[in-house]
Amino acid sequence: MNAMKVILRATHTRGAEICVIDNSSHRLNKVSKEVNARYIDTDQDLFNYFSELMGIFVERNNKKYSYVEDGFDDQEIYEKMKEFPPIFIFISDLMTFLDMVYNPDKSVGNMSGFFENICEKGSLHNIYLISCYNIDDYSKLTDYKAFYQLTSYKKGLHCGGNLANQRMYNFSNISYQEQGKTLKPGIAYTPSSEDDSIGLKVVLPLVRG
């Protein structure tokens, strides 16, 4: 959760629109207030947010595909989509969040179709999803289509060490002995941007509160 708080505060300095979707522990409540983020912790609030986001996403999706049809490459589209303000959506616990999306209260409308659509088509829209999950929840998370869509990019941080116990990354450059070690707080592994089979060790600042 330290990594999430670091990224949250860094995002705030960019002047981005921030939404935080938390679970019952409310671990991100305090930092959400610090960065003036929209804070969501109920099924109804999430549904309302997605309803608002739908129009924004459609507008950006249409613009993106107009650039595709004009022959622009991904890097050019990335630069052009900066005409829209960046939106960062932080999800404190992916397991709880996907349960909200796929199994909301009966009084709340369906959300899974829209969220899967964002995950499938969401690249190059200047909308970013950042989430945390416990490796012990991996087998349960695989029940959800959106989990595969979210993690297919192979972008992220693995905190805590014990790489041998996770199934997201397969770092060929890290010995089996090293993969069994724990990491101190503030240390994480991330895949290389050029080759996701190469794991890089990074240092993150520690956040208080």
Side-chain angles (χ1 to χ4, degrees):
M1 195 53 63
N2 177 73
M4 182 75 80
K5 292 177 180 178
V6 170
I7 300 170
L8 253 169
R9 288 176 173 169
T11 301
H12 178 57
T13 64
R14 295 181 55 184
E17 178 184 320
I18 303 173
C19 177
V20 172
I21 303 169
D22 212 352
N23 61 11
S24 58
S25 68
H26 302 113
R27 289 181 293 177
L28 294 180
N29 185 279
K30 182 179 179 181
V31 69
S32 296
K33 293 177 180 178
E34 292 176 7
V35 301
N36 297 315
R38 179 166 181 170
Y39 186 81
I40 292 172
D41 63 351
T42 69
D43 293 356
Q44 186 62 60
D45 286 345
L46 180 60
F47 179 84
N48 293 342
Y49 179 63
F50 278 174
S51 297
E52 296 170 20
L53 189 61
M54 185 178 297
I56 295 171
F57 181 76
V58 169
E59 179 187 9
R60 297 187 183 197
N61 194 54
N62 290 338
K63 178 66 72 171
K64 170 189 170 180
Y65 280 100
S66 72
Y67 291 138
V68 172
E69 292 175 354
D70 288 340
F72 293 104
D73 62 29
D74 284 358
Q75 184 58 41
E76 291 171 322
I77 294 173
Y78 171 79
E79 293 297 330
K80 286 185 172 294
M81 291 301 288
K82 289 182 180 178
E83 67 186 85
F84 297 105
I87 297 174
F88 284 80
I89 302 171
F90 290 85
I91 301 166
S92 69
D93 180 69
L94 190 56
M95 186 73 244
T96 300
F97 169 75
L98 289 179
D99 186 55
M100 292 169 70
V101 169
Y102 284 89
N103 306 294
D105 291 339
K106 293 181 179 179
S107 60
V108 179
N110 180 275
M111 293 182 274
S112 59
F114 173 64
F115 186 67
E116 288 175 358
N117 192 40
I118 288 181
C119 294
E120 180 181 357
K121 301 177 180 178
S123 63
L124 299 175
H125 288 74
N126 215 10
I127 298 174
Y128 305 93
L129 296 167
I130 301 170
S131 64
C132 289
Y133 78 89
N134 190 312
I135 59 174
D136 293 337
D137 291 330
Y138 186 89
S139 60
K140 296 177 182 178
L141 286 165
T142 57
D143 290 338
Y144 300 111
K145 179 181 178 181
F147 176 70
Y148 291 104
Q149 294 172 317
L150 282 170
T151 57
S152 63
Y153 297 97
K154 296 292 183 180
K155 305 293 185 184
L157 296 167
H158 175 77
C159 303
N162 290 315
L163 279 169
N165 293 333
Q166 59 82 43
R167 297 165 63 184
M168 181 63 64
Y169 304 116
N170 184 19
F171 296 139
S172 60
N173 64 311
I174 301 174
S175 69
Y176 185 77
Q177 181 180 8
E178 189 68 22
Q179 291 190 35
K181 294 181 179 179
T182 58
L183 293 177
K184 295 179 180 179
I187 308 295
Y189 285 109
T190 188
S192 166
S193 59
E194 297 180 356
D195 183 353
D196 61 29
S197 70
I198 302 299
L200 306 175
K201 190 177 288 186
V202 296
V203 179
L204 303 170
L206 295 177
V207 177
R208 294 183 178 180

